[in-house]
Amino acid sequence: MGMNSIDGTVLVTGGAGYIGSHTVRSLREAGREVVVLDSLELGRREAVIDAPLVVGDIHDRDLVTSTCHEHNVTQMIHFAAYKAVGESMEVPAKYWRNNVAGSVDLVEACLASGVHDIVFSSSCSVNGTPAVVPVTEDAPIHPESVYAESKAMVERILYWYGQTSGLRSVSLRYFNAAGASFDGRIGEDWTHSQNLVPLAMKALLLRDRRLKVFGDDYETPDGTCIRDYIHVADLADAHVKALDYLGRGGRTVALNVGTGVGSSVLDVLKATAEVAGESVPYEIAPRRAGDPVATFADPGLAETLLGWRAAHGLREIVQTAYAWHRSEVRRHRAG
Ligand code: WQD
């Protein structure tokens, strides 16, 4: 009986990043052996807690194949990518080279090392502004940025590797990842983030700025945009279950990973105020170009195929994010 792919080690590219580091911890808690490949360009070494870290680039075919052989890698999760939507429209070549061509180099090295199960970090942004909510997996692919296009392209490249070389993959289309680990050990780095939850925590904890709410005149109950905020621990769990699904022989598929619940910007600020016991200082600002008025997932297919569903809601997201960022502020003040 050949070794089942879930008996081997998981190579996690980008495992020193936000969702990657939470997924590494979930894999270890599930008893999986892990090795992380990260360039540390954006990731943080201290976020890799209980797995070996190989510092390098996904383009480096020799490094990937030697890592796979030395660590008995049988499955891979590919997080490593640039993800700044605005930047992707200013310097697209960075995104074509790293997100797309880098994934091709990585897949080639994996196949050369006998790795045929890949979970890919995709995004709900491949659908752009959804015409219908909740969003299902057969919604039109309509990227509205170079970043989103790079995710849609890699999904198609993985599909074709399935046709030409027997690669099987699960592309997980994340909705809005947020929150921090329940034990407070890892969380999001707010340094460069443009996302709502970290920026709301910054306005609340640093008290040196007001959060800009990008528009309160949308066709929604309170006028602000609606999103599907999903706890990073739930996202991590979806990756563990996707590898098990591939280990069982599951076919190539793209899956929405969201809670199925839509929350507005003001819902997030209200939940934050309840948790922190004080309000987030904010001001209403002009709408942000490219913002869909509402998007949230239909997570039914992931539940059916993976036996996965989100266990946490908006309150745990803001509770863990607040605790994490408050501890980070104290840590940096302590010097
Ligand atoms: C959320 C809501 C803003 C900041 C992003 C990426 C997307 C995907 C998911 C990776 C919106 C509002 C935000 C602020 C605000 N990531 N907002 N003031 O744009 O929904 O999606 O994460 O795959 O690619 O773009 O997330 O956190 O930027 O915005 O009012 O200072 O919060 O208008 O309605 P977004 P976000």
Side-chain angles (χ1 to χ4, degrees):
M1 172 69 174
M3 183 178 74
N4 190 311
S5 60
I6 61 170
D7 299 330
T9 301
V10 186
L11 171 64
V12 179
T13 75
Y18 174 41
I19 302 171
S21 57
H22 286 264
T23 301
V24 169
R25 294 191 76 194
S26 292
L27 285 165
R28 296 293 296 127
E29 282 155 21
R32 296 298 305 266
E33 291 301 317
V34 175
V35 57
V36 171
L37 172 64
D38 199 299
S39 66
L40 296 185
E41 181 187 356
L42 295 169
R44 301 193 308 177
R45 183 182 294 273
E46 60 272 13
V48 183
I49 291 173
D50 53 357
L53 168 63
V54 173
V55 181
D57 197 293
I58 56 174
H59 289 279
D60 186 338
R61 184 186 178 117
D62 291 343
L63 180 63
V64 173
T65 50
S66 62
T67 300
C68 286
H69 291 139
E70 282 160 29
H71 292 268
N72 179 34
V73 170
T74 57
Q75 295 185 308
M76 200 261 283
I77 302 179
H78 178 28
F79 289 102
Y82 295 132
K83 69 170 200 105
V85 172
E87 181 194 52
S88 80
M89 303 302 278
E90 286 150 24
V91 277
K94 243 184 106 165
Y95 285 69
W96 304 138
R97 287 199 188 96
N98 185 46
N99 291 14
V100 184
S103 296
V104 173
D105 288 339
L106 174 69
V107 169
E108 286 289 334
C110 284
L111 290 173
S113 308
V115 178
H116 293 89
D117 295 2
I118 290 183
V119 174
F120 172 58
S121 170
S122 188
S123 168
C124 64
S125 57
V126 303
N127 300 115
T129 301
V132 176
V133 285
V135 181
T136 57
E137 284 80 359
D138 53 6
I141 299 298
H142 182 66
E144 292 171 354
S145 70
V146 165
Y147 159 78
E149 183 67 60
S150 75
K151 291 298 183 180
M153 289 165 83
V154 175
E155 283 193 13
R156 297 306 299 156
I157 288 168
L158 292 173
Y159 165 81
W160 281 106
Y161 270 106
Q163 301 300 308
T164 57
S165 62
L167 178 78
R168 285 181 300 107
S169 59
V170 177
S171 290
L172 295 177
R173 293 175 181 168
Y174 308 155
F175 281 70
N176 288 54
S181 64
F182 285 90
D183 67 2
R185 288 194 64 185
I186 55 175
E188 192 167 3
D189 178 357
W190 72 11
T191 315
H192 305 292
S193 178
Q194 293 304 306
N195 291 133
L196 177 66
V197 172
L199 289 180
M201 297 302 165
K202 227 176 199 178
L204 183 67
L205 289 163
L206 301 187
R207 286 262 169 240
D208 60 353
R209 72 202 66 200
R210 296 155 70 89
L211 175 80
K212 290 185 181 341
V213 171
F214 298 137
D216 68 345
D217 57 352
Y218 285 95
E219 294 296 309
T220 61
D222 66 15
T224 64
C225 292
I226 290 169
R227 295 288 184 276
D228 186 331
Y229 296 93
I230 177 164
H231 197 285
V232 64
D234 285 325
L235 273 182
D237 185 41
H239 291 75
V240 179
K241 290 185 164 67
L243 289 175
D244 291 345
Y245 163 84
L246 291 172
R248 296 195 295 273
R251 60 177 169 74
T252 291
V253 68
L255 297 173
N256 288 341
V257 189
T259 65
V261 175
S263 301
S264 74
V265 174
L266 293 182
D267 287 336
V268 173
L269 300 189
K270 182 169 176 290
T272 302
E274 284 164 4
V275 163
E278 53 184 323
S279 297
V280 177
Y282 74 88
E283 65 194 37
I284 301 300
R287 292 182 175 193
R288 181 174 69 175
D291 266 340
V293 57
T295 179
F296 52 92
D298 174 341
L301 191 54
E303 186 171 351
T304 303
L305 293 183
L306 306 186
W308 171 89
R309 65 181 306 159
H312 307 297
L314 186 59
R315 190 157 188 89
E316 290 110 318
I317 284 175
V318 295
Q319 271 170 339
T320 51
Y322 179 67
W324 162 255
H325 289 298
R326 188 176 50 177
S327 69
E328 282 291 280
V329 166
R330 287 176 178 166
R331 196 159 67 91
H332 288 290
R333 282 195 182 137

